[in-house]
């Protein structure tokens, strides 16, 4: 029987959570107490608990605390994670059970102590929207860390708003007047990535006809957001690590050492701890990035934010026409709101935004009805999804719009189906991964 790791109580008119502490203890060893919602255990420094055991993987398993209990998850370790003699991939722990990794055994025990999980009372934070408890806990972390230069790693499914979190860190920091530069590791061809990041001097390679300033330099005195850092080629990772450690670079073909004054926020939809164990991502770079480690909740885990987000996207789409926004929102009946709130949203907040924009573009202005992907109404009446035909517009122009609508829906659908993994989504679509990403980038 599992014991909930957290309990919710009301503070004023807002819910807050308390977390029960627990400990892991090896036979004859000292107890290690934890009060963090995410704890990682492995054989290397940087883990919350390091086990000096050669049979233990670098990052062997993790324990997360939630409203159900304490969930242990194996991180693709070499020889597995075992609970009370059974090999597990993921399960909830009970107090008193024994966890084995390699040759090491740890007893999991609950403590009679609780700690507060900090949360703000805000309904939003900078560009972030939502008043759910997971989001307010996220705001509290951002608010504490933003004024510092600490490096941040943001993990989350595609469409959860990782770049908005990076923006919030930048906008609430002393660097807010400096540049906010985006490096999308998945959108730049691998053979051009090094030059794009570090820059090059004239003549550094064939075609280098002039000096090029890289994105690291562009971000000087500001923030560099490294999107999809899990796509960074393994051969470039040591060079990025050195730049982060030393805060200096050399352009390709150059001898001059250039000092950097930057803040780094990285993001990925991959599980980088698993990628470390697979050898696809450098362990030292992972720890260097994950000084502050955030995991964004998918939209299905904060359904109470859906209505507020939808209202935000309506106002944003109809910016400058507050009267029209008010009319649209007033015209949405409760049944439509419930349909929106009960939808699974595999594409998360980005998919919700796209549905709102498409609905506003195609609906009767006097009656707005959300046309949700895979809804019963759409399936039973395919004509609902047929594009409107405007005989006063040229054929080629309307055909291009229809193709664009199909491309966006198809690509985002494949990406959602494959959990945000671009390589698997591209393979399922039968197209090259880079071409897949370039197509999708047109609609974001």
């Amino acid at each position: 029987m599992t014991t909930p790791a957290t309990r919710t109580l009301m503070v004023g008119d807002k819910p807050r959570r308390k977390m029960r502490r627990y400990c892991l203890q090896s036979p004859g060893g000292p107890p290690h107490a934890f009060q963090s919602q995410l704890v990682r255990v492995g054989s290397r420094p940087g883990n919350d608990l390091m086990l000096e055991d050669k049979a233990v993987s670098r990052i062997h398993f993790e324990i997360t605390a939630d409203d159900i209990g304490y969930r242990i998850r194996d991180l693709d370790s070499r020889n597995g994670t075992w609970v009370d003699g059974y090999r597990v991939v993921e399960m909830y722990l009970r107090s008193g059970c024994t966890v084995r990794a390699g040759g090491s055994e740890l007893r999991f025990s609950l403590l009679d102590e609780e700690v507060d999980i900090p949360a703000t009372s805000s309904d939003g934070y900078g560009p972030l929207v939502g008043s759910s408890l997971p989001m307010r806990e996220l705001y509290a972390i951002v608010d504490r860390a933003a004024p510092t230069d600490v490096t941040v790693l943001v993990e989350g499914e595609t469409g959860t708003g990782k770049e908005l979190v990076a923006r919030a860190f930048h906008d609430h920091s002393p660097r807010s007047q400096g540049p906010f530069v985006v490096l999308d590791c998945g959108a730049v061809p691998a053979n051009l990535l090094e030059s794009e990041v570090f820059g090059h001097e004239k003549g550094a390679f064939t075609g280098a006809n002039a000096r090029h300033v890289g994105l690291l330099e562009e971000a000087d005195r500001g923030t560099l957001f490294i999107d999809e850092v899990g796509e960074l080629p393994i051969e470039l990772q040591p060079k990025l690590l050195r730049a982060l450690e030393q805060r200096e670079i050399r352009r390709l073909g150059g001898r001059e050492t250039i000092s950097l004054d930057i803040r780094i926020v990285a993001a990925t939809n991959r599980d980088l701890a698993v990628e470390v164990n697979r050898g696809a991502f450098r362990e030292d770079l992972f720890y260097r990035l994950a000084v502050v480690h955030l995991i964004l909740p998918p939209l299905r885990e904060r359904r109470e934010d859906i209505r507020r987000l939808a209202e935000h996207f309506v106002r944003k789409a109809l910016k400058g026409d507050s009267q029209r926004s008010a009319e649209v929102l007033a015209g949405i009946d409760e049944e439509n709101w419930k349909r929106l709130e009960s939808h699974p949203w595999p594409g998360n907040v980005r998919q919700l935004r796209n549905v709102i924009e498409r609905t506003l573009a195609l609906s009767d202005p006097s009656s707005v009805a959300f046309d949700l992907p895979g809804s019963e109404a759409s399936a039973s009446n395919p004509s609902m999804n047929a594009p409107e035909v405007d005989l006063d517009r040229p054929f080629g122009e309307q055909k291009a719009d229809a193709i664009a609508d199909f491309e966006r829906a198809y690509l985002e659908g494949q990406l959602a189906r494959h959990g945000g993994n671009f390589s698997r989504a591209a393979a399922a679509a039968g197209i090259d991964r880079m071409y897949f990403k370039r197509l999708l980038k047109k609609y974001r």
Side-chain angles (χ1 to χ4, degrees):
M1 180 177 179
T2 63
T3 301
T6 64
R7 66 184 181 95
T8 303
L9 63 160
M10 295 299 294
V11 178
D13 62 343
K14 296 285 188 180
R16 294 283 292 270
R17 287 196 291 183
K18 286 182 175 288
M19 176 187 160
R20 191 171 173 184
R21 300 177 75 217
Y22 65 91
C23 78
L24 295 170
Q25 185 174 14
S26 58
H32 300 274
F34 299 99
Q35 60 187 43
S36 172
Q37 289 176 274
L38 173 64
V39 169
R40 288 200 166 111
V41 179
S43 61
R44 303 299 294 272
N47 286 286
D48 300 284
L49 176 59
M50 187 181 78
L51 301 176
E52 295 183 2
D53 181 343
K54 292 182 179 178
V56 172
S57 294
R58 289 173 286 190
I59 312 174
H60 201 100
F61 66 83
E62 68 180 19
I63 297 175
T64 53
D66 59 30
D67 293 340
I68 298 175
Y70 303 82
R71 187 177 66 223
I72 190 170
R73 185 168 70 96
D74 181 73
L75 297 173
D76 202 21
S77 61
R78 291 197 304 272
N79 44 35
T81 298
W82 303 72
V83 177
D84 288 340
Y86 294 93
R87 186 168 184 169
V88 301
V89 174
E90 187 172 348
M91 70 171 290
Y92 283 97
L93 300 172
R94 61 173 182 81
S95 187
C97 69
T98 298
V99 178
R100 178 165 62 85
S104 301
E105 288 191 349
L106 298 166
R107 182 179 174 84
F108 172 84
S109 303
L110 297 181
L111 303 176
D112 293 327
E113 303 172 42
E114 287 184 325
V115 293
D116 288 316
I117 301 174
T120 69
S121 59
S122 174
D123 291 341
Y125 192 91
L128 300 167
V129 175
S131 58
S132 62
L133 188 50
M135 292 305 290
R136 292 191 296 107
E137 291 172 350
L138 174 73
Y139 303 156
I141 297 172
V142 177
D143 195 53
R144 289 200 308 272
T148 73
D149 274 342
V150 67
T151 304
V152 180
L153 176 63
V154 185
E155 291 188 356
E157 295 178 9
T158 295
T160 48
K162 295 183 286 293
E163 184 170 347
L164 294 182
V165 173
R167 278 278 182 187
F169 271 104
H170 177 73
D171 292 344
H172 290 81
S173 76
R175 299 175 176 273
S176 59
Q177 300 305 309
F180 179 84
V181 177
V182 179
L183 163 60
D184 187 343
C185 296
V188 182
N191 62 322
L192 299 179
L193 192 57
E194 186 172 7
S195 172
E196 188 71 13
V197 176
F198 299 98
H200 63 253
E201 297 289 353
K202 181 179 179 180
F205 50 84
T206 303
N209 300 320
R211 170 184 285 179
H212 171 68
V213 174
L215 294 178
L216 280 164
E217 276 187 82
E218 284 187 24
D220 193 44
R221 300 185 181 278
T223 301
L224 178 66
F225 173 52
I226 308 178
D227 197 11
E228 296 189 35
V229 69
E231 304 284 341
L232 188 69
I234 192 74
E235 61 271 16
L236 283 187
Q237 293 178 20
K239 194 165 183 179
L240 177 61
L241 176 64
R242 177 176 173 78
L244 299 185
E245 293 282 5
Q246 304 297 327
R247 287 298 197 267
E248 60 183 31
I249 60 167
R250 286 185 182 177
R251 301 188 191 104
L252 293 180
R255 295 184 178 181
E256 178 188 2
T257 298
I258 301 165
S259 296
L260 300 173
D261 176 14
I262 56 174
R263 202 260 181 85
I264 302 292
V265 180
T268 180
N269 56 28
R270 295 191 182 193
D271 189 330
L272 286 192
V274 170
E275 298 299 308
V276 167
N277 283 334
R278 291 175 178 169
F281 200 84
R282 285 182 64 103
E283 171 194 354
D284 46 7
L285 180 56
F286 170 73
Y287 288 128
R288 186 65 187 83
L289 292 172
V291 180
V292 171
H293 193 175
L294 299 177
I295 300 178
L296 298 192
L299 190 55
R300 62 184 173 274
E301 292 181 6
R302 55 183 190 108
R303 293 186 183 276
E304 59 266 49
D305 287 335
I306 289 176
R307 187 175 300 206
R308 184 177 180 85
L309 283 163
E311 292 171 347
H312 169 74
F313 291 135
V314 167
R315 294 189 181 100
K316 192 172 181 180
L318 300 175
K319 187 176 181 179
D321 192 346
S322 57
Q323 182 177 349
R324 169 75 174 128
S325 298
E327 290 173 354
V328 168
L329 293 172
I332 301 172
D333 60 30
E334 195 60 28
E335 181 181 349
N336 261 295
W337 282 123
K338 288 179 179 178
R339 289 177 61 235
L340 208 65
E341 290 168 340
S342 63
H343 192 71
W345 299 113
N348 292 294
V349 178
R350 182 182 293 126
Q351 185 186 20
L352 172 62
R353 182 198 66 197
N354 291 342
V355 165
I356 298 299
E357 291 176 354
R358 183 172 68 246
T359 298
L360 292 175
L362 302 180
S363 292
D364 183 334
S366 62
S367 176
V368 174
F370 300 117
D371 182 19
L372 302 179
S375 66
E376 290 184 10
S378 296
S380 62
N381 186 6
S383 65
M384 288 180 63
N385 291 325
E388 294 182 3
V389 175
D390 183 351
L391 298 181
D392 293 326
R393 291 178 62 203
F395 169 82
E397 184 179 299
Q398 290 195 70
K399 180 181 178 182
D401 286 347
I403 291 173
D405 288 342
F406 161 76
E407 283 185 351
R408 180 164 71 175
Y410 180 85
L411 296 172
E412 290 187 340
Q414 285 288 7
L415 194 61
R417 172 180 286 184
H418 293 88
N421 186 295
F422 281 92
S423 297
R424 291 199 295 267
I431 59 179
D432 176 74
R433 183 176 68 89
M434 294 308 300
Y435 180 58
F436 184 101
K437 293 175 75 67
R438 284 196 297 273
L439 278 177
L440 189 58
K441 199 172 182 67
K442 292 192 302 184
Y443 307 111
R444 294 185 171 180

